[in-house]
Amino acid sequence: TAVSKVCDLEIARTGLLERQAHAVGLRFVTVTVEATNRAGYYPGVTAGMTVERMTALDLGYAPPFSPVWDPVLVAARKAAGAVRDAGA
C-alpha cells in the first residue's frame, strides 16, 4: 500500500503495479476509484471490529496523513491490552 499527497491531490494504491503483475505472468484487473478523503458518515458508524482485530489493520502510511505509529493502531493496541488485562 502506498499513499502520497501532491499539493491538494491525494493518491493511493494497493497491491502490485500492472507492469509488475504482467512481468511475472499474472492475470489481473485494475480499478480506479475517486472518492473524498473523509467518510460521509463520520463520526457515526464504525466497522464493528474488536480492538484485537483492529491491531491487525494494514493502514497506509504517508507523512501528510499520519505519523509512523498510526494513532488508531496505537489506541487499538492499548485497548486490546486493557481488555486482556481485565480478563475479558
Side-chain angles (χ1 to χ4, degrees), residues 71-85:
V72 171
L73 293 179
V74 171
R77 286 187 192 111
K78 288 187 177 234
V83 168
R84 280 191 300 272
D85 291 348

Side-chain angles (χ1 to χ4, degrees), residues 10-14 18 29-35:
E10 298 167 357
I11 57 175
R13 74 164 182 96
T14 192
E18 290 179 42
V29 297
T30 62
V31 298
T32 300
V33 176
E34 292 186 26

Side-chain angles (χ1 to χ4, degrees), residues 5 9 39-40 45 48 50 54 58-59 63 65 81 85:
K5 181 173 180 140
L9 176 65
V45 181
T50 64
M54 286 178 67
D58 180 16
L59 302 178
F65 304 104
D85 291 348

Side-chain angles (χ1 to χ4, degrees), residues 16-83:
L16 298 174
L17 297 173
E18 290 179 42
R19 66 178 151 83
Q20 294 169 321
H22 182 71
V24 295
L26 295 174
R27 293 176 51 200
F28 61 91
V29 297
T30 62
V31 298
T32 300
V33 176
E34 292 186 26
T36 61
N37 64 356
R38 301 250 193 289
Y41 55 80
Y42 181 81
V45 181
T46 67
M49 287 188 245
T50 64
V51 290
E52 188 65 41
R53 193 161 171 213
M54 286 178 67
T55 64
L57 289 175
D58 180 16
L59 302 178
Y61 165 70
F65 304 104
S66 68
V68 173
W69 296 105
D70 190 289
V72 171
L73 293 179
V74 171
R77 286 187 192 111
K78 288 187 177 234
V83 168

